[in-house]
Amino acid sequence: MTTLPSLISMMSQLIASPSISCSQLSWDQSNKGVIELLEGWLSSQGFQCEIMPLPSQPNKFNLIATLGSGDGGLVLSGHTDTVPYDEGRWQSDPFSLEERNQKLYGLGSCDMKGFFAIVLDTVQKMQLYNLKQPLIVLATADEESSMAGARALVEQGSLKARYALIGEPTSLTPIHAHKGIMMERIQVTGQAGHSSNPALGNNALDAMHAVMSELMMFRQQLKHQYRDANFIIDYPTMNFGCIHGGDNPNRICGRCELEFDLRALPGMSNQALMAEISQRLPSIEEKTGTKIQLNSLFPDVPSFYTPIESDIIKACEALTNRQASTVAFATEGPFLNQMGIETLILGPGSIDQAHQPNEFMALDQIQPMQQVIRGLIERFCLQPHEHKNEE
Ligand SMILES: [Zn+2]
């Protein structure tokens, strides 16, 4: 088996290969370079690599790399893309890994190219010749923009395993739940006209006022109905993010748009929430004589929940000596769970540094993360699969 480059060298090569994903097309890039680096290193360690272009974006790829075979098995998962960067706000080149003050700086250092380098380095040191259950490294595309990579995996149904760890930056705390995210737009169409006579038009702002009152009532209802003490903000939230409409005080506003997000707790269905909101709109249309449309700005991300009793959660709590907790950001976790893989989020680096200028991973995160990965491989790949509770 060939020797891999050093951990730091792998990390700097991954960071030097730009793979920004963004809903703004001027920023959006292929992740091909990162996928090819990972494929080369993983193949050299005996992994069978499968590169799958996304059906919707043929220049972006998921990679499934498998070592060993059999049922059960452990997935170590990460996304290959990064967010865009603020030019001029970085103290160093975002694409060149730089070590300063016990920290490794670079775009994707903690979110989350560094994780792959740590996984590869750990795997090489373990010399895994005789796995009882497969070890799978999963590298996805487009997590930061549309989660199209994870969605494609669910559709293809080709990923099979019992457990998964997603190495998003959680400062090494095991995470078993997060809220869902929906981003929606409501458009109200009335009729513009001269303001001197209200009968010359139909005011979209007046109708939007009714829509917002209705949404605020619904929000209050949700807050009373749903609580989950595992979250700091322990109720579902709805935020009005922006509103656009009209042009002049002396013109009846003909059109108005409101954008809002909705963050549901585990156990709530995004589809059911959408249906509830849609149901409330026709009566406002009727009362105001306007046309009201509800559309999603982005495909929704479901809430994520893995029971605290799951073996992967228990194993990670023991390995980190920390209780499983929740986070306020979304991950690919719900999609892996949809494939029947019990998933947890746990990774090196802090979310406080992710999506920021001068993103870094502190050096002291590396060794404890390697210990977690080693412990999980020993527990879930080097031991035979137990068939308890599966009858
Ligand atoms: Zn991330």
Side-chain angles (χ1 to χ4, degrees):
M1 226 156 272
T2 40
T3 313
L4 292 172
S6 72
L7 193 159
I8 300 290
S9 161
M10 286 189 282
M11 195 164 156
S12 59
Q13 290 182 57
L14 291 170
I15 283 169
S17 177
S19 55
I20 291 168
S21 80
C22 187
S23 51
Q24 264 170 278
L25 283 181
S26 56
W27 274 107
D28 199 51
Q29 297 175 324
S30 168
N31 66 336
K32 192 161 186 240
V34 173
I35 290 285
E36 281 174 350
L37 282 170
L38 292 174
E39 188 214 8
W41 294 329
L42 286 158
S43 309
S44 82
Q45 300 305 301
F47 283 76
Q48 297 290 327
C49 292
E50 195 186 349
I51 294 181
M52 302 144 95
L54 302 193
S56 54
Q57 297 169 85
N59 64 332
K60 301 197 178 189
F61 307 88
N62 289 328
L63 166 67
I64 301 178
T66 309
L67 186 66
S69 59
D71 58 357
L74 172 71
V75 178
L76 300 174
S77 179
H79 60 81
T80 54
D81 59 323
T82 71
V83 290
Y85 58 97
D86 292 313
E87 210 141 10
R89 292 187 61 203
W90 277 73
Q91 280 171 25
S92 54
D93 177 358
F95 298 104
S96 157
L97 189 72
E98 200 176 293
E99 187 181 332
R100 302 193 298 271
N101 319 316
Q102 304 294 306
K103 292 165 186 154
L104 296 164
Y105 289 87
L107 181 64
S109 52
C110 77
D111 188 16
M112 53 180 290
K113 293 176 171 178
F115 170 73
F116 288 115
I118 294 174
V119 166
L120 277 154
D121 190 64
T122 311
V123 164
Q124 166 167 267
K125 284 176 180 151
M126 287 183 79
Q127 306 196 328
L128 302 167
Y129 302 117
N130 193 14
L131 294 184
K132 301 281 192 297
Q133 301 180 57
L135 171 64
I136 298 157
V137 175
L138 171 65
T140 62
D142 249 26
E143 190 271 347
E144 298 288 7
S145 49
S146 64
M147 301 214 181
R151 292 176 205 275
L153 287 170
V154 174
E155 267 161 46
Q156 289 154 350
S158 49
L159 182 65
K160 302 253 183 308
R162 184 67 199 272
Y163 300 108
L165 172 142
I166 302 178
E168 291 276 8
T170 68
S171 306
L172 303 168
T173 299
I175 299 299
H176 75 111
H178 62 64
K179 291 180 180 176
I181 302 186
M182 304 158 76
M183 301 209 189
E184 309 299 319
R185 174 197 284 143
I186 287 182
Q187 283 179 309
V188 177
T189 311
Q191 173 71 51
H194 197 280
S195 66
S196 58
N197 179 359
L200 292 175
N202 189 1
N203 200 309
L205 281 170
D206 288 4
M208 185 58 89
H209 178 259
V211 169
M212 288 171 75
S213 300
E214 188 64 42
L215 288 177
M216 284 161 81
M217 242 154 57
F218 183 48
R219 176 168 71 187
Q220 209 48 31
Q221 212 175 302
L222 291 175
K223 190 175 170 180
H224 284 299
Q225 212 173 331
Y226 297 98
R227 284 286 154 123
D228 187 335
N230 291 310
F231 291 88
I232 298 171
I233 308 303
D234 64 353
Y235 53 89
T237 59
M238 179 196 291
N239 176 62
F240 297 156
C242 65
I243 189 161
H244 300 289
D247 39 37
N248 258 308
N250 62 356
R251 216 162 102 87
I252 295 168
C253 172
R255 211 176 142 91
C256 183
E257 286 182 5
L258 170 74
E259 293 181 4
F260 62 98
D261 80 346
L262 233 170
R263 292 167 190 256
L265 290 166
M268 298 171 70
S269 146
N270 288 352
Q271 283 65 39
L273 286 169
M274 275 296 267
E276 280 234 40
I277 293 174
S278 316
Q279 268 172 28
R280 289 162 183 257
L281 301 177
S283 68
I284 304 175
E285 277 185 317
E286 214 171 296
K287 234 182 288 170
T288 59
T290 56
K291 193 167 171 326
I292 305 178
Q293 286 168 295
L294 171 66
N295 289 304
S296 294
L297 291 165
F298 298 101
D300 68 298
V301 181
S303 58
F304 163 66
Y305 178 77
T306 300
I308 214 110
E309 303 78 34
S310 165
D311 281 348
I312 185 102
I313 309 276
K314 290 232 173 305
C316 286
E317 285 185 329
L319 285 163
T320 57
N321 218 355
R322 290 181 199 188
Q323 271 198 338
S325 181
T326 64
V327 284
F329 55 89
T331 70
E332 296 173 325
F335 299 104
L336 295 194
N337 274 354
Q338 276 175 30
M339 291 184 265
I341 306 169
E342 289 177 36
T343 302
L344 115 166
I345 322 294
L346 193 177
S350 163
I351 196 68
D352 297 346
Q353 272 86 52
H355 303 198
Q356 297 291 334
N358 304 311
E359 174 184 344
F360 67 81
M361 184 193 293
L363 282 170
D364 65 10
Q365 299 282 293
I366 293 174
Q367 197 262 335
M369 190 65 209
Q370 292 198 298
Q371 236 171 297
V372 171
I373 293 168
R374 200 175 309 124
L376 291 178
I377 292 173
E378 280 167 2
R379 168 89 159 71
F380 295 112
C381 301
L382 293 174
Q383 313 282 332
H385 180 43
E386 297 165 41
H387 285 267
K388 58 167 191 182
N389 304 329
E390 280 179 26
E391 298 78 45

